[in-house]
Amino acid sequence: MPLKTLIRALVLLIWLPVAAHAQDMTVFEVETLNQGLPLAPEDLDRTTPQSSMEALFELVETGERETAAHLLDLTGIPPSEQVRRGARLAADLVEVLDRTAIINWTALLERPDALDANASSESAVAGQPQRSILIDVVELDERAVAIRLNRLKPKNGDPVWVFSRQTVDNIPALHALYGPTRFEEEMPEAWREQAFWGLRWWELVAFPAMLALVGVVGWIVGRLQDKIAQRAERRTTRDVLCATRMPIILAACSGLTAVLSHSLFMFSGRINTVLTPLIALGFTAAALIFVLNGVDAVLNRIVPFDDDTLSDPRMEQRRNIATRIAAWRRVLIVAIVLIGGFIVLREAQLFGSLGLSVLASAGALTLLIGFAARHILGNILASLQIAMNRSAKIGDKLEYRGHIVTVERINFTYVQLLDWTGVRLVVPVSEFVAEPFENWTMRTPSMVRVIKVRLAHDAEVQPLREAFFEIIAEQDEDEVQPPEESYVMVADQDVFGQEVWFCLACARADTAWTMSCVVREALLEKARQRAAEGYAVFPQVNPAEAA
């Protein structure tokens, strides 16, 4: 390497740290600040973020808008127009701040360097001076724009806190979007004056009136749907109207609230901070209820839950479709809740300057809630597990805990089972998947039902075997399999007699239990007839001995 190049490199390495140290990182250095404005009054305090914000609101409220212009960085405006436009921009900025945000005054420190001595060690600005403070993030033309206070140091001047040039450039568009509507501008001046808690007098009247109007509109929409449903001739039309009644009411109320609060009325930030997430919550609830009601209506049309044909072999395809729809229903619910929750949090501005610290400090609370909701989360995952492995589909015939049941619903947290007696069992999903159960329709609808009969040691099995097959031949061919599929065997014996199994091959699982009861009754009748003829059939045992 040439000597001259080496010397230049060494000089550069020495000069860079010196230059960085010489530059003041606590301010933005500028040549001039607001050339077109007269000198700022000596009593105008712009030394700290809080004093600048307080001065802006006080000066605009008292009508000293020209002085308030000194709190803005008007670099982007020609000096000849800074007096006129600066006063208007200051007033417009106050209205925008008043209507779109609740200012976190604790973040506006009373220190010139804005150093937060009480900040957490995990904070990115802990122990460091700041030269720019984020006041709020506001939506503008489908993008987020920041409202900031910057600490500027003009040449041969003292550092001051003013609203940034980018913020000033966005004030006209923000005011056009969030400023007072024409309806408000037509109100008497007395109605637009401050009442209390930062609200104007007209807001105290308009907000309850708007809520009442929204409630009346929701009631009218519901009544109209009821009238149309009563006059509808087709069942499909009635089902659609019933399934969409509540979602349409919620969507209409939320939509009307959004229109009124953004076109006719422009409420203050204290109301908008609550109203905006409620509107998003209303639309989310409407979508969630629409999915719930809509999918349930489709399931009711696909699978007839009100009769005994749910486990019919011919219904296998419908049961598969119903189970898939129910699984997608749960997926849609999770998606709507997550997306809707994100939108609500976003509209509530929990991801803004305040929200990040709130969410960061909520870690312990999140863990606590997660621990408390572990059973619910476990049931949700278990329900998705059933939907994926199809161990139990909607319409399957099961034997669960000694009950002969049909699967009616597989919900997030519980499985709804219909007992053959008409009683419905509600079982938590986590318990349902944790216990073994017999699924009679998992592969094929056919099954073998065992009829156990205790006979005497000297009883002849063959006559009852023949009677058994005669009884099978008398049954409906659609209910039993061919006779060669059924069989009779002596399965056990003890001091009381012999145990004979009459194995009945049933064609349908949904009627197998009933068919076995019918065959048992007929078989016992044959056995009693044979006993009446003097043949040994049943064991001669006293109840005490049998016990």
Side-chain angles (χ1 to χ4, degrees), residues 21 56 76 130 134 145-146 148 177 211 229 252 254 259 272 308 315 355 380 406 462 485 512 515 530 542:
H21 185 269
L56 177 69
Q130 301 181 67
L134 178 65
V145 298
R148 285 185 172 275
L177 183 61
L211 295 181
S254 301
V259 171
N272 274 330
D308 296 330
M315 298 284 290
I380 292 175
T406 302
Q462 185 60 28
E485 300 293 333
M515 182 55 58
R530 185 169 176 78
N542 295 325

Side-chain angles (χ1 to χ4, degrees), residues 104 134-139 144-145 148 345-360:
N104 181 21
L134 178 65
I135 304 300
D136 199 3
V137 177
V138 184
E139 292 292 329
V145 298
R148 285 185 172 275
L345 291 176
R346 180 175 176 273
E347 294 297 332
Q349 298 179 355
L350 288 181
F351 294 124
S353 57
L354 251 200
L356 291 176
S357 60
V358 172
L359 292 177

Side-chain angles (χ1 to χ4, degrees), residues 151-163:
R151 193 183 187 206
L152 305 184
K153 184 183 184 305
K155 193 174 183 180
N156 301 323
D158 296 326
V160 293
W161 285 93
V162 296
F163 284 89

